[in-house]
């Protein structure tokens, strides 16, 4: 099974950024733990702060992998381009958020991703990604 993880803006600062919300682990450390836990899964990882680069990656991965875990971060709440990209690919996309966006500011309650995602996992810290992997493996 091939799973692509795509992270949007500011998630390169995980471990340093608003640690009371996002925790003090870097994504690289967390990804290494995921790879160890799921040796049968081949992971790819991409992060960008640029909307067009994220769209290009969704288009690319979308024809190559079995599933995408997408944390579009702030672009979740604004990007028609990412919405359309998800509709354009065969791979299922699971929307991921580290924090519970529905328990935060009103502008985070709107998502351009949810309506075209297979499902969404929000609010479990970095474990949201692990639950996303399990959703693709059918072990839930
Ligand atoms: C986030 C939630 C978004 O609202 C925010 O803009 C992020 C991270 C999360 O994982 O909790 O950057 O996607």
């Amino acid at each position: 099974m091939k799973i692509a993880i795509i992270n949007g803006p500011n998630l390169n600062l995980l471990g340093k950024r608003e640690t009371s919300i996002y925790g003090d682990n870097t994504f690289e450390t967390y990804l290494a733990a995921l790879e160890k836990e799921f040796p049968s899964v081949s992971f790819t990882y991409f992060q960008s702060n640029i909307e067009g680069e994220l769209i290009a990656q969704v288009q690319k991965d979308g024809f190559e992998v079995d599933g995408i875990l997408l944390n579009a971060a702030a672009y979740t709440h604004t990007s028609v381009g990412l919405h359309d990209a998800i509709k354009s690919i065969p791979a299922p996309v699971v929307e991921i958020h580290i924090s519970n966006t529905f328990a935060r500011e009103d502008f985070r309650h709107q998502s351009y991703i949810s309506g075209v995602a297979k499902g969404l996992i929000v609010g479990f810290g970095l474990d949201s990604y692990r639950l996303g992997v399990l959703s693709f493996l059918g072990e839930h």
Side-chain angles (χ1 to χ4, degrees):
M1 153 122 8
K2 288 187 198 165
I3 296 179
I5 299 176
I6 301 177
N7 275 346
N10 302 306
L11 292 174
N12 54 312
L13 294 181
L14 281 177
K16 294 187 216 165
R17 167 197 186 204
E18 295 183 274
T19 52
S20 60
I21 298 175
Y22 299 114
D24 49 20
N25 220 344
T26 66
F27 197 77
E28 287 70 18
T29 305
Y30 184 75
L31 181 59
L34 270 187
E35 284 172 329
K36 207 171 163 194
E37 183 176 351
F38 299 105
S40 66
V41 176
S42 160
F43 289 100
T44 59
Y45 174 54
F46 180 81
Q47 188 278 332
S48 176
N49 296 322
I50 299 168
E51 185 176 9
E53 288 186 1
L54 294 164
I55 291 170
Q57 195 67 29
V58 167
Q59 290 181 1
K60 180 174 178 291
D61 287 334
F63 290 91
E64 289 176 0
V65 302
D66 302 299
I68 297 176
L69 300 176
L70 173 63
N71 185 346
Y75 291 134
T76 304
H77 316 300
T78 61
S79 181
V80 177
L82 275 170
H83 171 103
D84 286 348
I86 294 166
K87 283 176 82 173
S88 307
I89 57 165
V93 172
V94 171
E95 176 180 353
I96 301 289
H97 297 289
I98 297 164
S99 63
N100 179 354
T101 46
F102 297 100
R104 299 181 65 194
E105 303 96 320
D106 285 353
F107 66 84
R108 296 185 204 277
H109 301 180
Q110 158 82 3
S111 169
Y112 284 87
I113 311 296
S114 304
V116 286
K118 182 181 178 202
L120 48 154
I121 302 174
V122 306
F124 293 96
L126 283 174
D127 235 19
S128 294
Y129 294 88
R130 183 174 167 275
L131 295 170
V133 174
L134 292 175
S135 79
F136 285 131
L137 293 175
E139 293 171 19
H140 52 281

